[in-house]
């Protein structure tokens, strides 16, 4: 058997090697062809016993020379062709995988909202970050919903599903079953000669015992530890001694600034604390009612040990010492002088943040929380006073985004996050009630921006189911910024505080604003006009209802 050593093709018997195009020269009959003879030496066989590359081409007639040129490619060209195909395949696979992960595919996947958790026990071992990943919805290519008409359809769907229903208020016994320890610590009656809710409890420790050693606020913050170290040094001096027993004055706040975030609550707090009859907790925003009592320090870190109510009461000890000094002064003891010092607490999450309920209360009805923060506050303090500061929800959301976003902030990025959040909210509203969506931890953690915080009327109506309207003062940041003196007078009158001298009042009203927008955030400019129009449409029905509830059209925010 003979082979051509140039192209390794089997020569047919009595063949002059004419069919090998590569070996043909100008003079076909005079060209010499080196031929190699041997058995089982060449890697390619015409009888197909061994195949090294793709195939072995067999020439059967002398009339296919034109086709022989096509099939007699060099091995190097075949390798290049195969290598190119492999590279193209890898690039396409990489694009598809990356696009599917980040929502960048040219053909978007259908939008599906993650399911709601109906049984909290299923997530006992999951952190909040795990829950968020577990319920992560599939993402839609945001370029398809960037235009106003497309997003307007989403808003129209949400608006058609809005229904403001009255919430069923739980009875006192149900609340006791949920928080028995809290009810065992806080009494149902307070000292009659104190404007602020206070009471005495027996202290069984000794002079060497640090009463704040196990306080959770001190354990998780060195800054708070300094405060508690000071309280320990003066603690024994402020105990009330009676019949060989020691009593400690405990106090709750007389009023709460309950919301909303990025609406001027910090500025109101800073001005109000300048009044000589007002004291605040040692920490401005303890977030105890909404987070710490459930063991939430940071949402991204999941759950820790729950902060007991005693840790929360410790935050008011400094103010309690001053109240006790008034109650036990010579004039106070002899003439029954009434204490007029009041304590405030200013956690801006109190009004709206009920995200933890799903992990602790399992008797919900159609996804709605059976117990809310205000149920427990009212159970202990039915006469508490509440202050709410609001602003245009459209501007509030943008300010919230600029304050909390960590990187890549821009008006365009904000627009995309708004669009994605609206899709998520729509997906919830298709299957659940408005209240269930507003208080749903899964949805709230999945939305890139906190749309739900601006739904003021939903929260206000739920607070009005347990507190009377005259116990709640609702202010606008726009009014506070334009006429500081008028706003502060309303607050003083609401809290029944004594009038101030002109000098004291000037100190409160003329100090610079607190917690204003950072310079680097100001440089980003306003939101896109399209984004503002979208948010105006989204919040309009909620603002309309809010204005009706408060009998004040200023809460429509038409001129901002």
């Amino acid at each position: 058997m003979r082979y051509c050593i140039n192209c390794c093709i089997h020569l047919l018997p009595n063949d002059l090697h004419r069919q090998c195009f590569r070996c043909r020269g100008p003079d076909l009959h005079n060209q010499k062809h080196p031929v190699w003879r041997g058995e089982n030496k060449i890697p390619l066989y015409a009888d197909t016993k061994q195949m090294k590359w793709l195939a072995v081409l067999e020439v059967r007639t002398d009339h296919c020379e034109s086709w022989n040129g096509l099939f007699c490619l060099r091995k190097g060209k075949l390798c290049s062709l195969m290598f190119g195909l492999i590279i193209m395949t890898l690039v396409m696979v990489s694009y598809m995988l990356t696009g599917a992960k980040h929502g960048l595919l040219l053909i978007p996947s259908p939008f599906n909202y993650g399911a709601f958790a109906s049984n909290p026990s299923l997530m006992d071992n999951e952190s909040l970050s795990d829950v968020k990943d577990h319920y992560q919805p599939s993402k839609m290519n945001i370029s398809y919903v960037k235009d106003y008409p497309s997003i307007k359809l989403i808003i129209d769907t949400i608006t058609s599903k809005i229904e403001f229903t009255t919430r069923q208020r739980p009875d006192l016994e149900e609340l006791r079953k949920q928080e028995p320890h809290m009810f065992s610590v806080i009494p149902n009656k307070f000292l009659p000669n104190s404007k602020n809710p206070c009471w005495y409890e027996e202290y069984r420790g000794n002079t060497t015992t640090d009463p704040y050693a196990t306080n959770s606020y001190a354990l998780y913050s060195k800054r708070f530890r300094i405060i508690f170290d000071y309280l320990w040094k003066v603690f024994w001096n402020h105990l009330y001694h009676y019949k060989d027993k020691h009593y400690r004055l405990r106090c709750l706040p007389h009023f709460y600034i309950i919301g909303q975030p990025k609406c001027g609550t910090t500025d109101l707090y800073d001005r109000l604390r300048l009044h000589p009859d007002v004291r605040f907790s040692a920490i401005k925003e303890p977030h105890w009612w909404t987070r710490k009592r459930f063991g939430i320090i940071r949402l991204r870190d999941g759950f820790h040990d729950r902060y007991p109510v005693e840790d929360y009461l410790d935050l008011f000890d400094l103010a309690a010492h001053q109240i006790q000094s008034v109650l036990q002064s010579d004039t106070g003891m002899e003439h029954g002088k009434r204490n007029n010092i009041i304590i405030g607490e200013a956690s801006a999450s109190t009004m709206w943040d009920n995200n933890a309920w799903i992990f602790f209360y399992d008797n919900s009805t159609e996804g709605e929380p059976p117990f809310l923060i205000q149920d427990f506050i009212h159970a202990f303090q039915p006469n508490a006073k509440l202050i709410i500061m609001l602003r245009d929800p459209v501007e509030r959301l943008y300010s919230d985004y600029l304050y909390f976003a960590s990187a890549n902030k821009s008006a365009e990025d904000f627009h995309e996050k708004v669009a994605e959040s609206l899709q998520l909210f729509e997906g919830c509203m298709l299957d659940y009630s408005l209240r269930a969506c507003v208080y749903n931890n899964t949805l709230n953690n999945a939305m890139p921006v906190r749309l739900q915080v601006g739904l003021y009327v939903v929260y206000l109506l739920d607070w009005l189911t347990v507190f009377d309207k005259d116990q709640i003062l609702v202010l606008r940041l726009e009014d506070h910024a334009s006429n500081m003196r008028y706003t502060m007078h309303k607050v003083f009158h609401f809290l029944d505080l004594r009038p101030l001298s002109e000098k004291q009042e000037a100190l409160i009203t003329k100090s610079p604003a607190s917690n204003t927008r950072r310079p680097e955030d100001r440089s980003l400019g306003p939101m896109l006009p399209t984004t503002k129009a979208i948010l105006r449409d989204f919040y309009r029905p909620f603002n309309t209802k809010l204005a009706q509830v408060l009998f004040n059209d200023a809460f429509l925010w038409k001129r901002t």
Side-chain angles (χ1 to χ4, degrees), residues 203-427:
Y203 178 71
R204 295 181 174 85
N206 54 50
T207 55
T208 60
T209 303
D210 181 2
Y212 308 103
T214 60
N215 186 286
S216 301
Y217 285 99
L219 293 176
Y220 285 102
S221 173
K222 292 181 179 179
R223 179 167 59 92
F224 298 157
R225 184 68 256 178
I226 296 175
I227 297 174
F228 290 118
D229 285 344
Y230 168 76
L231 288 173
W232 180 25
K233 292 178 181 178
V234 300
F235 179 78
W236 196 260
N237 298 332
H238 292 278
L239 291 180
Y240 176 56
H241 310 283
Y242 181 72
K243 293 183 178 181
D244 298 327
K245 292 184 178 180
H246 310 295
Y247 294 90
R248 175 183 187 180
L249 186 67
R250 288 294 210 175
C251 297
L252 279 169
H254 172 71
F255 70 95
Y256 297 85
I257 300 176
I258 63 175
Q260 292 284 64
K262 308 312 299 175
C263 290
T265 56
T266 299
D267 187 76
L268 179 62
Y269 161 84
D270 285 338
R271 297 181 192 282
L272 196 50
R273 65 202 296 252
L274 296 177
H275 194 287
D277 291 342
V278 175
R279 304 291 184 273
F280 275 93
S281 55
I283 302 166
K284 174 186 174 286
E285 295 189 90
H287 297 294
W288 185 81
W289 291 102
T290 55
R291 299 169 186 172
K292 300 300 190 294
R293 72 185 180 100
F294 297 109
I296 301 173
I297 299 176
R298 299 180 185 87
L299 291 175
R300 64 178 180 269
D301 296 335
F303 290 99
H304 296 261
D305 293 335
R306 300 181 70 176
Y307 287 30
V309 65
E310 291 88 347
D311 290 1
Y312 179 60
L313 297 176
D314 286 347
L315 301 178
F316 307 106
D317 275 5
L318 192 60
H321 294 168
Q322 298 178 49
I323 292 175
Q324 186 178 10
S325 298
V326 174
L327 295 176
Q328 295 185 353
S329 64
D330 293 339
T331 56
M333 296 292 286
E334 293 176 3
H335 305 289
K337 183 179 179 181
R338 176 179 169 84
N339 163 64
N340 288 316
I341 294 176
I342 58 174
I343 305 175
E345 199 253 73
S347 297
S349 64
T350 307
M351 180 176 179
W352 64 273
D353 190 352
N354 281 274
N355 287 332
W357 74 266
I358 196 172
F359 302 101
F360 295 89
Y361 310 134
D362 57 0
N363 57 337
S364 64
T365 302
E366 297 181 350
E368 296 187 9
F371 310 105
L372 295 177
I373 302 304
Q374 51 265 40
D375 298 330
F376 293 97
I377 295 179
H378 183 269
F380 301 116
Q381 299 176 256
N383 299 318
K385 294 197 172 185
L386 312 167
I387 301 176
I388 302 171
M389 181 82 87
L390 304 177
R391 71 186 290 189
D392 180 357
V394 176
E395 298 298 336
R396 192 220 70 82
L397 186 65
Y398 190 49
S399 178
D400 194 75
Y401 162 78
L402 293 177
Y403 187 81
F404 289 105
S406 57
N408 302 321
K409 291 184 286 188
S410 67
E412 292 76 17
D413 180 67
F414 175 67
H415 179 92
E416 294 185 358
K417 285 179 167 56
V418 167
E420 184 179 347
S421 298
L422 285 170
Q423 294 176 66
L424 290 167
F425 199 81
E426 178 201 26

Side-chain angles (χ1 to χ4, degrees), residues 87-102:
I87 293 297
M88 289 179 62
T89 302
L90 292 175
V91 171
M92 290 299 296
V93 170
S94 175
Y95 164 75
M96 293 173 66
L97 293 176
T98 305
K101 180 177 180 182
H102 297 287

Side-chain angles (χ1 to χ4, degrees), residues 463-482:
W463 280 85
L464 287 173
T465 61
V466 292
F467 286 97
D468 293 334
K469 199 169 184 178
D470 59 2
Q471 293 179 257
I472 303 176
L473 175 64
V474 183
L475 305 170
R476 296 196 330 147
L477 175 61
E478 293 83 359
D479 299 332
H480 179 67
S482 63

Side-chain angles (χ1 to χ4, degrees), residues 53-98:
W53 285 89
L54 296 175
V56 175
L57 303 179
E58 179 176 326
V59 180
R60 296 191 180 276
T61 66
D62 293 340
H63 303 288
C64 56
E65 285 123 359
S66 61
W67 291 98
N68 289 337
L70 178 62
F71 293 114
C72 295
L73 297 174
R74 291 185 182 275
K75 295 181 181 180
K77 291 185 178 180
L78 288 174
C79 292
S80 299
L81 178 62
M82 292 297 294
F83 182 75
L85 291 174
I86 292 172
I87 293 297
M88 289 179 62
T89 302
L90 292 175
V91 171
M92 290 299 296
V93 170
S94 175
Y95 164 75
M96 293 173 66
L97 293 176
T98 305

